[in-house]
Amino acid sequence: EALVRALERGQRLRQVRREVDVYESAMFILAALAGSIGMAKNAQSVDVLMECGSGLIAYLKSLAGNSDGETRN
């Protein structure tokens, strides 16, 4: 719920695109985090965690709106 609220706040501040489904995105982010940790533990590798984290960061950046309120494609 906290992540949903944070994404909603981002939408109000035009930091997150309006068309983003905040609930769906929050669930995906949590699943990606859990999966990243699980994969890193299984591989016993910090490198795996960092690679997964890079993918998650790319996803988070894709949610962003421009500072002038326009949406990114």
Side-chain angles (χ1 to χ4, degrees):
E1 190 173 318
L3 191 49
V4 171
R5 286 194 311 267
L7 290 168
E8 288 171 338
R9 181 173 184 265
Q11 284 178 324
R12 286 192 304 276
L13 296 174
R14 297 184 177 178
Q15 296 171 336
V16 175
R17 291 180 286 117
R18 290 184 302 266
E19 66 271 15
V20 169
D21 182 319
V22 294
Y23 181 78
E24 184 179 283
S25 295
M27 293 301 106
F28 177 78
I29 292 165
L30 290 175
L33 282 170
S36 297
I37 293 167
M39 288 180 64
K41 282 183 178 182
N42 186 48
Q44 296 184 349
S45 171
V46 172
D47 291 337
V48 170
L49 181 62
M50 299 305 286
E51 289 173 23
C52 291
S54 293
L56 183 54
I57 289 168
Y59 173 73
L60 292 172
K61 286 181 178 180
S62 79
L63 301 178
N66 291 330
S67 60
D68 60 4
E70 297 293 319
T71 57
R72 294 183 180 172
N73 291 340

Short mmCIF file of all heavy atoms in Angstrom, two decimals:
data_model
loop_
_atom_site.label_atom_id
_atom_site.label_comp_id
_atom_site.label_asym_id
_atom_site.label_seq_id
_atom_site.Cartn_x
_atom_site.Cartn_y
_atom_site.Cartn_z
N GLU A 1 0.82 -1.20 0.00
CA GLU A 1 0.00 0.00 0.00
C GLU A 1 0.86 1.26 0.00
O GLU A 1 0.51 2.24 -0.66
CB GLU A 1 -0.94 -0.02 1.20
CG GLU A 1 -1.97 1.07 1.12
CD GLU A 1 -3.01 0.96 2.21
OE1 GLU A 1 -3.47 -0.16 2.50
OE2 GLU A 1 -3.34 1.99 2.77
N ALA A 2 1.98 1.25 0.71
CA ALA A 2 2.85 2.43 0.75
C ALA A 2 3.43 2.73 -0.62
O ALA A 2 3.54 3.90 -1.01
CB ALA A 2 3.97 2.21 1.77
N LEU A 3 3.76 1.69 -1.37
CA LEU A 3 4.30 1.89 -2.71
C LEU A 3 3.23 2.45 -3.65
O LEU A 3 3.52 3.34 -4.46
CB LEU A 3 4.87 0.58 -3.24
CG LEU A 3 5.71 0.63 -4.50
CD1 LEU A 3 6.79 1.71 -4.44
CD2 LEU A 3 6.34 -0.72 -4.75
N VAL A 4 2.01 1.99 -3.52
CA VAL A 4 0.90 2.53 -4.31
C VAL A 4 0.74 4.01 -4.00
O VAL A 4 0.62 4.84 -4.93
CB VAL A 4 -0.42 1.76 -4.04
CG1 VAL A 4 -1.60 2.46 -4.68
CG2 VAL A 4 -0.32 0.33 -4.53
N ARG A 5 0.75 4.37 -2.73
CA ARG A 5 0.60 5.78 -2.35
C ARG A 5 1.76 6.62 -2.88
O ARG A 5 1.55 7.76 -3.33
CB ARG A 5 0.49 5.92 -0.83
CG ARG A 5 -0.85 5.46 -0.29
CD ARG A 5 -1.07 5.91 1.16
NE ARG A 5 0.05 5.62 2.03
CZ ARG A 5 0.18 4.53 2.78
NH1 ARG A 5 -0.77 3.61 2.77
NH2 ARG A 5 1.22 4.36 3.55
N ALA A 6 2.95 6.07 -2.86
CA ALA A 6 4.11 6.81 -3.38
C ALA A 6 3.98 7.04 -4.88
O ALA A 6 4.28 8.14 -5.37
CB ALA A 6 5.40 6.04 -3.07
N LEU A 7 3.51 6.04 -5.60
CA LEU A 7 3.31 6.21 -7.04
C LEU A 7 2.19 7.21 -7.33
O LEU A 7 2.29 8.02 -8.25
CB LEU A 7 3.03 4.86 -7.71
CG LEU A 7 4.21 3.89 -7.76
CD1 LEU A 7 3.75 2.50 -8.16
CD2 LEU A 7 5.29 4.40 -8.71
N GLU A 8 1.12 7.16 -6.54
CA GLU A 8 0.04 8.14 -6.70
C GLU A 8 0.54 9.56 -6.44
O GLU A 8 0.20 10.49 -7.18
CB GLU A 8 -1.11 7.82 -5.74
CG GLU A 8 -1.89 6.59 -6.12
CD GLU A 8 -2.89 6.15 -5.07
OE1 GLU A 8 -2.74 6.49 -3.87
OE2 GLU A 8 -3.82 5.43 -5.46
N ARG A 9 1.36 9.70 -5.43
CA ARG A 9 1.94 11.02 -5.14
C ARG A 9 2.80 11.48 -6.31
O ARG A 9 2.75 12.63 -6.72
CB ARG A 9 2.77 10.97 -3.86
CG ARG A 9 3.38 12.30 -3.48
CD ARG A 9 4.07 12.23 -2.10
NE ARG A 9 4.55 13.52 -1.72
CZ ARG A 9 5.79 13.95 -1.93
NH1 ARG A 9 6.69 13.16 -2.51
NH2 ARG A 9 6.16 15.15 -1.55
N GLY A 10 3.57 10.55 -6.87
CA GLY A 10 4.37 10.86 -8.05
C GLY A 10 3.51 11.32 -9.22
O GLY A 10 3.90 12.24 -9.96
N GLN A 11 2.35 10.72 -9.38
CA GLN A 11 1.44 11.16 -10.43
C GLN A 11 0.94 12.58 -10.17
O GLN A 11 0.89 13.40 -11.08
CB GLN A 11 0.26 10.20 -10.57
CG GLN A 11 0.62 8.91 -11.27
CD GLN A 11 -0.54 7.95 -11.37
OE1 GLN A 11 -1.37 7.85 -10.45
NE2 GLN A 11 -0.60 7.22 -12.48
N ARG A 12 0.57 12.86 -8.93
CA ARG A 12 0.11 14.21 -8.59
C ARG A 12 1.19 15.26 -8.86
O ARG A 12 0.90 16.38 -9.27
CB ARG A 12 -0.35 14.29 -7.14
CG ARG A 12 -1.68 13.62 -6.88
CD ARG A 12 -2.23 13.97 -5.50
NE ARG A 12 -1.34 13.65 -4.40
CZ ARG A 12 -1.23 12.46 -3.82
NH1 ARG A 12 -1.97 11.45 -4.23
NH2 ARG A 12 -0.40 12.28 -2.80
N LEU A 13 2.44 14.88 -8.61
CA LEU A 13 3.57 15.79 -8.81
C LEU A 13 4.10 15.75 -10.24
O LEU A 13 5.09 16.40 -10.56
CB LEU A 13 4.70 15.44 -7.83
CG LEU A 13 4.38 15.63 -6.36
CD1 LEU A 13 5.51 15.10 -5.49
CD2 LEU A 13 4.10 17.09 -6.06
N ARG A 14 3.43 14.96 -11.10
CA ARG A 14 3.80 14.80 -12.51
C ARG A 14 5.19 14.18 -12.68
O ARG A 14 5.88 14.42 -13.65
CB ARG A 14 3.70 16.11 -13.26
CG ARG A 14 2.29 16.65 -13.29
CD ARG A 14 2.19 17.88 -14.10
NE ARG A 14 0.79 18.30 -14.15
CZ ARG A 14 0.38 19.36 -14.75
NH1 ARG A 14 1.23 20.13 -15.37
NH2 ARG A 14 -0.90 19.68 -14.75
N GLN A 15 5.58 13.38 -11.70
CA GLN A 15 6.84 12.64 -11.78
C GLN A 15 6.60 11.24 -12.32
O GLN A 15 7.54 10.58 -12.75
CB GLN A 15 7.49 12.57 -10.40
CG GLN A 15 7.89 13.92 -9.86
CD GLN A 15 8.33 13.86 -8.41
OE1 GLN A 15 7.95 12.98 -7.67
NE2 GLN A 15 9.12 14.84 -8.02
N VAL A 16 5.36 10.79 -12.25
CA VAL A 16 4.95 9.48 -12.78
C VAL A 16 3.84 9.74 -13.80
O VAL A 16 2.93 10.53 -13.53
CB VAL A 16 4.44 8.54 -11.66
CG1 VAL A 16 3.89 7.24 -12.22
CG2 VAL A 16 5.55 8.27 -10.66
N ARG A 17 3.93 9.11 -14.95
CA ARG A 17 2.95 9.32 -16.01
C ARG A 17 1.54 9.00 -15.52
O ARG A 17 1.33 8.07 -14.76
CB ARG A 17 3.28 8.45 -17.23
CG ARG A 17 4.53 8.89 -17.95
CD ARG A 17 4.85 8.03 -19.16
NE ARG A 17 5.37 6.72 -18.75
CZ ARG A 17 4.78 5.56 -19.01
NH1 ARG A 17 3.66 5.50 -19.67
NH2 ARG A 17 5.31 4.43 -18.60
N ARG A 18 0.57 9.78 -15.96
CA ARG A 18 -0.83 9.63 -15.56
C ARG A 18 -1.39 8.26 -15.90
O ARG A 18 -2.20 7.72 -15.15
CB ARG A 18 -1.71 10.68 -16.25
CG ARG A 18 -1.51 12.08 -15.79
CD ARG A 18 -2.50 13.00 -16.48
NE ARG A 18 -2.39 12.96 -17.94
CZ ARG A 18 -1.66 13.79 -18.66
NH1 ARG A 18 -0.98 14.73 -18.06
NH2 ARG A 18 -1.61 13.70 -19.97
N GLU A 19 -1.00 7.72 -17.05
CA GLU A 19 -1.59 6.46 -17.51
C GLU A 19 -1.03 5.22 -16.81
O GLU A 19 -1.50 4.10 -17.04
CB GLU A 19 -1.45 6.32 -19.04
CG GLU A 19 -0.03 6.18 -19.53
CD GLU A 19 0.65 7.51 -19.85
OE1 GLU A 19 0.17 8.58 -19.43
OE2 GLU A 19 1.70 7.45 -20.49
N VAL A 20 -0.04 5.39 -15.95
CA VAL A 20 0.53 4.26 -15.21
C VAL A 20 -0.50 3.73 -14.22
O VAL A 20 -1.09 4.49 -13.44
CB VAL A 20 1.82 4.68 -14.48
CG1 VAL A 20 2.29 3.61 -13.51
CG2 VAL A 20 2.92 5.01 -15.48
N ASP A 21 -0.73 2.43 -14.25
CA ASP A 21 -1.59 1.78 -13.26
C ASP A 21 -0.74 1.58 -12.01
O ASP A 21 0.15 0.72 -11.99
CB ASP A 21 -2.09 0.44 -13.80
CG ASP A 21 -3.02 -0.29 -12.85
OD1 ASP A 21 -2.74 -0.31 -11.63
OD2 ASP A 21 -4.00 -0.87 -13.33
N VAL A 22 -0.98 2.38 -10.98
CA VAL A 22 -0.10 2.38 -9.81
C VAL A 22 -0.16 1.07 -9.03
O VAL A 22 0.87 0.62 -8.51
CB VAL A 22 -0.38 3.59 -8.88
CG1 VAL A 22 -0.03 4.89 -9.58
CG2 VAL A 22 -1.80 3.61 -8.39
N TYR A 23 -1.33 0.45 -8.96
CA TYR A 23 -1.42 -0.83 -8.24
C TYR A 23 -0.63 -1.91 -8.98
O TYR A 23 0.16 -2.63 -8.38
CB TYR A 23 -2.88 -1.25 -8.08
CG TYR A 23 -3.02 -2.55 -7.33
CD1 TYR A 23 -2.90 -2.59 -5.95
CD2 TYR A 23 -3.24 -3.74 -8.00
CE1 TYR A 23 -3.00 -3.79 -5.26
CE2 TYR A 23 -3.35 -4.94 -7.32
CZ TYR A 23 -3.22 -4.96 -5.95
OH TYR A 23 -3.31 -6.15 -5.27
N GLU A 24 -0.84 -2.00 -10.29
CA GLU A 24 -0.13 -2.99 -11.09
C GLU A 24 1.38 -2.76 -11.03
O GLU A 24 2.16 -3.70 -10.89
CB GLU A 24 -0.63 -2.89 -12.53
CG GLU A 24 -0.05 -3.91 -13.47
CD GLU A 24 -0.64 -3.73 -14.86
OE1 GLU A 24 -1.79 -4.15 -15.06
OE2 GLU A 24 0.06 -3.15 -15.73
N SER A 25 1.79 -1.52 -11.13
CA SER A 25 3.21 -1.19 -11.08
C SER A 25 3.81 -1.52 -9.71
O SER A 25 4.93 -2.04 -9.64
CB SER A 25 3.43 0.29 -11.40
OG SER A 25 3.05 0.55 -12.73
N ALA A 26 3.08 -1.23 -8.64
CA ALA A 26 3.58 -1.53 -7.30
C ALA A 26 3.77 -3.04 -7.13
O ALA A 26 4.78 -3.48 -6.57
CB ALA A 26 2.61 -0.99 -6.25
N MET A 27 2.80 -3.82 -7.60
CA MET A 27 2.92 -5.28 -7.50
C MET A 27 4.12 -5.79 -8.31
O MET A 27 4.86 -6.66 -7.85
CB MET A 27 1.65 -5.97 -7.98
CG MET A 27 0.43 -5.73 -7.11
SD MET A 27 0.67 -6.29 -5.40
CE MET A 27 0.86 -4.73 -4.56
N PHE A 28 4.32 -5.22 -9.48
CA PHE A 28 5.46 -5.63 -10.31
C PHE A 28 6.78 -5.28 -9.63
O PHE A 28 7.71 -6.09 -9.61
CB PHE A 28 5.39 -4.98 -11.69
CG PHE A 28 6.58 -5.33 -12.54
CD1 PHE A 28 6.67 -6.57 -13.15
CD2 PHE A 28 7.62 -4.43 -12.69
CE1 PHE A 28 7.79 -6.91 -13.90
CE2 PHE A 28 8.74 -4.76 -13.44
CZ PHE A 28 8.82 -6.00 -14.05
N ILE A 29 6.87 -4.09 -9.07
CA ILE A 29 8.10 -3.66 -8.40
C ILE A 29 8.42 -4.59 -7.23
O ILE A 29 9.57 -5.04 -7.08
CB ILE A 29 7.98 -2.19 -7.94
CG1 ILE A 29 7.94 -1.26 -9.15
CG2 ILE A 29 9.13 -1.82 -6.99
CD1 ILE A 29 7.46 0.15 -8.84
N LEU A 30 7.41 -4.91 -6.43
CA LEU A 30 7.64 -5.82 -5.30
C LEU A 30 8.05 -7.20 -5.77
O LEU A 30 8.96 -7.82 -5.20
CB LEU A 30 6.38 -5.90 -4.43
CG LEU A 30 6.05 -4.64 -3.64
CD1 LEU A 30 4.72 -4.80 -2.92
CD2 LEU A 30 7.16 -4.30 -2.66
N ALA A 31 7.40 -7.70 -6.82
CA ALA A 31 7.75 -9.02 -7.36
C ALA A 31 9.17 -9.01 -7.92
O ALA A 31 9.93 -9.97 -7.73
CB ALA A 31 6.75 -9.43 -8.43
N ALA A 32 9.53 -7.94 -8.59
CA ALA A 32 10.88 -7.84 -9.16
C ALA A 32 11.94 -7.79 -8.06
O ALA A 32 13.00 -8.42 -8.17
CB ALA A 32 10.98 -6.60 -10.05
N LEU A 33 11.64 -7.06 -6.98
CA LEU A 33 12.58 -7.03 -5.86
C LEU A 33 12.75 -8.41 -5.23
O LEU A 33 13.89 -8.86 -4.98
CB LEU A 33 12.10 -6.04 -4.79
CG LEU A 33 12.32 -4.57 -5.07
CD1 LEU A 33 11.58 -3.72 -4.05
CD2 LEU A 33 13.80 -4.24 -5.07
N ALA A 34 11.62 -9.07 -4.97
CA ALA A 34 11.69 -10.40 -4.36
C ALA A 34 12.41 -11.37 -5.27
O ALA A 34 13.25 -12.17 -4.82
CB ALA A 34 10.28 -10.91 -4.06
N GLY A 35 12.11 -11.31 -6.56
CA GLY A 35 12.77 -12.19 -7.52
C GLY A 35 14.26 -11.92 -7.62
O GLY A 35 15.07 -12.85 -7.72
N SER A 36 14.63 -10.65 -7.59
CA SER A 36 16.04 -10.28 -7.66
C SER A 36 16.81 -10.83 -6.47
O SER A 36 17.91 -11.37 -6.61
CB SER A 36 16.19 -8.75 -7.71
OG SER A 36 15.60 -8.22 -8.85
N ILE A 37 16.22 -10.68 -5.30
CA ILE A 37 16.87 -11.18 -4.09
C ILE A 37 16.98 -12.70 -4.14
O ILE A 37 18.03 -13.27 -3.83
CB ILE A 37 16.11 -10.71 -2.83
CG1 ILE A 37 16.26 -9.19 -2.69
CG2 ILE A 37 16.60 -11.43 -1.58
CD1 ILE A 37 15.30 -8.56 -1.69
N GLY A 38 15.92 -13.36 -4.56
CA GLY A 38 15.94 -14.82 -4.67
C GLY A 38 16.98 -15.31 -5.65
O GLY A 38 17.71 -16.29 -5.38
N MET A 39 17.05 -14.67 -6.81
CA MET A 39 18.05 -15.07 -7.81
C MET A 39 19.47 -14.87 -7.29
O MET A 39 20.34 -15.71 -7.50
CB MET A 39 17.85 -14.29 -9.10
CG MET A 39 16.63 -14.71 -9.88
SD MET A 39 16.41 -13.77 -11.40
CE MET A 39 17.87 -14.26 -12.31
N ALA A 40 19.70 -13.74 -6.61
CA ALA A 40 21.03 -13.45 -6.08
C ALA A 40 21.42 -14.45 -5.00
O ALA A 40 22.56 -14.92 -4.95
CB ALA A 40 21.09 -12.03 -5.54
N LYS A 41 20.47 -14.80 -4.14
CA LYS A 41 20.75 -15.80 -3.11
C LYS A 41 21.06 -17.15 -3.73
O LYS A 41 22.00 -17.83 -3.32
CB LYS A 41 19.55 -15.94 -2.16
CG LYS A 41 19.44 -14.85 -1.14
CD LYS A 41 18.28 -15.12 -0.20
CE LYS A 41 18.16 -14.08 0.87
NZ LYS A 41 17.06 -14.37 1.81
N ASN A 42 20.26 -17.55 -4.71
CA ASN A 42 20.47 -18.84 -5.36
C ASN A 42 21.82 -18.89 -6.06
O ASN A 42 22.52 -19.90 -5.98
CB ASN A 42 19.35 -19.11 -6.37
CG ASN A 42 19.44 -20.48 -6.96
OD1 ASN A 42 19.59 -21.46 -6.24
ND2 ASN A 42 19.35 -20.57 -8.27
N ALA A 43 22.19 -17.80 -6.72
CA ALA A 43 23.48 -17.75 -7.43
C ALA A 43 24.63 -17.40 -6.48
O ALA A 43 25.79 -17.51 -6.87
CB ALA A 43 23.41 -16.72 -8.55
N GLN A 44 24.28 -16.99 -5.27
CA GLN A 44 25.27 -16.51 -4.30
C GLN A 44 26.19 -15.48 -4.94
O GLN A 44 27.41 -15.57 -4.91
CB GLN A 44 26.07 -17.68 -3.71
CG GLN A 44 25.20 -18.63 -2.91
CD GLN A 44 25.98 -19.74 -2.25
OE1 GLN A 44 27.15 -19.96 -2.53
NE2 GLN A 44 25.31 -20.43 -1.35
N SER A 45 25.51 -14.48 -5.56
CA SER A 45 26.25 -13.50 -6.34
C SER A 45 25.66 -12.10 -6.19
O SER A 45 24.49 -11.88 -6.50
CB SER A 45 26.22 -13.89 -7.83
OG SER A 45 26.75 -12.88 -8.64
N VAL A 46 26.48 -11.19 -5.74
CA VAL A 46 26.08 -9.79 -5.68
C VAL A 46 25.93 -9.25 -7.11
O VAL A 46 25.08 -8.40 -7.36
CB VAL A 46 27.11 -8.96 -4.87
CG1 VAL A 46 26.80 -7.47 -4.95
CG2 VAL A 46 27.14 -9.41 -3.44
N ASP A 47 26.74 -9.76 -8.03
CA ASP A 47 26.65 -9.31 -9.42
C ASP A 47 25.25 -9.56 -10.00
O ASP A 47 24.71 -8.73 -10.72
CB ASP A 47 27.70 -9.99 -10.29
CG ASP A 47 29.11 -9.53 -9.97
OD1 ASP A 47 29.27 -8.41 -9.43
OD2 ASP A 47 30.06 -10.28 -10.28
N VAL A 48 24.67 -10.71 -9.68
CA VAL A 48 23.32 -11.02 -10.16
C VAL A 48 22.34 -10.01 -9.58
O VAL A 48 21.46 -9.50 -10.29
CB VAL A 48 22.92 -12.47 -9.80
CG1 VAL A 48 21.44 -12.71 -10.06
CG2 VAL A 48 23.77 -13.47 -10.57
N LEU A 49 22.47 -9.70 -8.32
CA LEU A 49 21.60 -8.72 -7.68
C LEU A 49 21.73 -7.36 -8.38
O LEU A 49 20.74 -6.69 -8.66
CB LEU A 49 21.91 -8.59 -6.20
CG LEU A 49 21.05 -7.61 -5.41
CD1 LEU A 49 19.58 -8.04 -5.44
CD2 LEU A 49 21.55 -7.50 -3.99
N MET A 50 22.94 -6.96 -8.68
CA MET A 50 23.17 -5.67 -9.33
C MET A 50 22.59 -5.65 -10.74
O MET A 50 22.02 -4.64 -11.17
CB MET A 50 24.67 -5.35 -9.35
CG MET A 50 25.28 -5.23 -7.96
SD MET A 50 24.46 -4.04 -6.89
CE MET A 50 25.01 -2.54 -7.62
N GLU A 51 22.72 -6.74 -11.47
CA GLU A 51 22.15 -6.82 -12.82
C GLU A 51 20.63 -6.73 -12.78
O GLU A 51 20.01 -6.01 -13.57
CB GLU A 51 22.59 -8.10 -13.51
CG GLU A 51 24.05 -8.10 -13.90
CD GLU A 51 24.51 -9.45 -14.44
OE1 GLU A 51 23.68 -10.23 -14.92
OE2 GLU A 51 25.72 -9.70 -14.38
N CYS A 52 20.02 -7.44 -11.85
CA CYS A 52 18.56 -7.37 -11.69
C CYS A 52 18.15 -5.96 -11.28
O CYS A 52 17.15 -5.43 -11.77
CB CYS A 52 18.09 -8.38 -10.65
SG CYS A 52 18.24 -10.10 -11.15
N GLY A 53 18.92 -5.38 -10.39
CA GLY A 53 18.64 -4.02 -9.94
C GLY A 53 18.69 -3.02 -11.09
O GLY A 53 17.88 -2.09 -11.15
N SER A 54 19.61 -3.22 -12.00
CA SER A 54 19.70 -2.33 -13.17
C SER A 54 18.44 -2.41 -14.02
O SER A 54 17.95 -1.39 -14.51
CB SER A 54 20.92 -2.69 -14.02
OG SER A 54 22.10 -2.40 -13.32
N GLY A 55 17.91 -3.61 -14.17
CA GLY A 55 16.67 -3.77 -14.91
C GLY A 55 15.50 -3.10 -14.21
O GLY A 55 14.65 -2.47 -14.86
N LEU A 56 15.47 -3.20 -12.92
CA LEU A 56 14.40 -2.56 -12.14
C LEU A 56 14.50 -1.04 -12.24
O LEU A 56 13.49 -0.35 -12.39
CB LEU A 56 14.43 -3.03 -10.69
CG LEU A 56 13.32 -2.50 -9.79
CD1 LEU A 56 11.93 -2.78 -10.36
CD2 LEU A 56 13.45 -3.11 -8.40
N ILE A 57 15.70 -0.53 -12.18
CA ILE A 57 15.89 0.92 -12.32
C ILE A 57 15.41 1.39 -13.69
O ILE A 57 14.75 2.43 -13.80
CB ILE A 57 17.36 1.30 -12.06
CG1 ILE A 57 17.68 1.15 -10.57
CG2 ILE A 57 17.65 2.73 -12.53
CD1 ILE A 57 19.15 1.23 -10.23
N ALA A 58 15.71 0.62 -14.73
CA ALA A 58 15.24 0.98 -16.07
C ALA A 58 13.71 1.02 -16.11
O ALA A 58 13.11 1.92 -16.71
CB ALA A 58 15.78 0.00 -17.09
N TYR A 59 13.07 0.05 -15.45
CA TYR A 59 11.61 0.04 -15.40
C TYR A 59 11.08 1.28 -14.67
O TYR A 59 10.16 1.94 -15.14
CB TYR A 59 11.10 -1.23 -14.71
CG TYR A 59 9.60 -1.18 -14.49
CD1 TYR A 59 8.72 -1.34 -15.56
CD2 TYR A 59 9.07 -0.93 -13.23
CE1 TYR A 59 7.35 -1.25 -15.37
CE2 TYR A 59 7.71 -0.86 -13.04
CZ TYR A 59 6.85 -1.02 -14.11
OH TYR A 59 5.50 -0.92 -13.92
N LEU A 60 11.67 1.60 -13.53
CA LEU A 60 11.23 2.77 -12.76
C LEU A 60 11.38 4.05 -13.59
O LEU A 60 10.49 4.91 -13.58
CB LEU A 60 12.02 2.89 -11.46
CG LEU A 60 11.74 1.79 -10.43
CD1 LEU A 60 12.72 1.90 -9.28
CD2 LEU A 60 10.31 1.84 -9.95
N LYS A 61 12.46 4.17 -14.32
CA LYS A 61 12.66 5.34 -15.18
C LYS A 61 11.60 5.41 -16.26
O LYS A 61 11.19 6.50 -16.67
CB LYS A 61 14.05 5.33 -15.79
CG LYS A 61 15.13 5.67 -14.79
CD LYS A 61 16.50 5.67 -15.44
CE LYS A 61 17.58 6.05 -14.44
NZ LYS A 61 18.91 6.07 -15.04
N SER A 62 11.12 4.26 -16.71
CA SER A 62 10.09 4.24 -17.77
C SER A 62 8.75 4.76 -17.27
O SER A 62 7.89 5.12 -18.07
CB SER A 62 9.93 2.83 -18.34
OG SER A 62 9.15 2.01 -17.49
N LEU A 63 8.55 4.82 -15.97
CA LEU A 63 7.31 5.33 -15.39
C LEU A 63 7.29 6.85 -15.33
O LEU A 63 6.23 7.45 -15.14
CB LEU A 63 7.12 4.79 -13.96
CG LEU A 63 7.06 3.29 -13.78
CD1 LEU A 63 6.92 2.96 -12.30
CD2 LEU A 63 5.95 2.67 -14.59
N ALA A 64 8.43 7.46 -15.48
CA ALA A 64 8.57 8.90 -15.25
C ALA A 64 7.93 9.75 -16.33
O ALA A 64 7.98 9.43 -17.51
CB ALA A 64 10.06 9.26 -15.13
N GLY A 65 7.35 10.85 -15.87
CA GLY A 65 6.88 11.89 -16.76
C GLY A 65 7.95 12.96 -16.87
O GLY A 65 8.85 13.03 -16.05
N ASN A 66 7.83 13.81 -17.89
CA ASN A 66 8.76 14.93 -18.04
C ASN A 66 8.45 15.99 -17.00
O ASN A 66 7.33 16.07 -16.49
CB ASN A 66 8.64 15.54 -19.44
CG ASN A 66 9.16 14.61 -20.51
OD1 ASN A 66 10.06 13.81 -20.27
ND2 ASN A 66 8.58 14.71 -21.69
N SER A 67 9.40 16.83 -16.72
CA SER A 67 9.20 17.88 -15.72
C SER A 67 8.14 18.89 -16.12
O SER A 67 7.55 19.55 -15.27
CB SER A 67 10.53 18.60 -15.43
OG SER A 67 11.01 19.19 -16.63
N ASP A 68 7.84 19.02 -17.42
CA ASP A 68 6.82 19.97 -17.86
C ASP A 68 5.43 19.35 -17.89
O ASP A 68 4.48 19.96 -18.37
CB ASP A 68 7.17 20.56 -19.23
CG ASP A 68 7.28 19.49 -20.31
OD1 ASP A 68 7.01 18.30 -20.04
OD2 ASP A 68 7.63 19.87 -21.44
N GLY A 69 5.30 18.12 -17.38
CA GLY A 69 4.01 17.48 -17.30
C GLY A 69 3.66 16.61 -18.50
O GLY A 69 2.67 15.89 -18.50
N GLU A 70 4.47 16.69 -19.54
CA GLU A 70 4.24 15.84 -20.71
C GLU A 70 4.66 14.41 -20.36
O GLU A 70 5.48 14.18 -19.48
CB GLU A 70 5.07 16.34 -21.90
CG GLU A 70 4.68 17.72 -22.36
CD GLU A 70 3.28 17.74 -22.97
OE1 GLU A 70 2.95 16.82 -23.70
OE2 GLU A 70 2.55 18.71 -22.69
N THR A 71 4.09 13.46 -21.08
CA THR A 71 4.46 12.07 -20.84
C THR A 71 5.53 11.64 -21.81
O THR A 71 5.64 12.17 -22.92
CB THR A 71 3.25 11.13 -20.98
OG1 THR A 71 2.69 11.31 -22.27
CG2 THR A 71 2.22 11.43 -19.91
N ARG A 72 6.33 10.69 -21.39
CA ARG A 72 7.37 10.13 -22.26
C ARG A 72 6.78 8.98 -23.05
O ARG A 72 5.89 8.31 -22.60
CB ARG A 72 8.54 9.61 -21.42
CG ARG A 72 9.28 10.69 -20.71
CD ARG A 72 10.45 10.13 -19.97
NE ARG A 72 11.13 11.24 -19.30
CZ ARG A 72 12.09 11.09 -18.44
NH1 ARG A 72 12.51 9.90 -18.12
NH2 ARG A 72 12.65 12.12 -17.89
N ASN A 73 7.33 8.77 -24.21
CA ASN A 73 6.89 7.62 -25.03
C ASN A 73 7.73 6.43 -24.77
O ASN A 73 8.81 6.42 -24.44
CB ASN A 73 6.94 7.98 -26.51
CG ASN A 73 5.87 9.00 -26.84
OD1 ASN A 73 4.91 9.16 -26.11
ND2 ASN A 73 6.06 9.68 -27.94
#
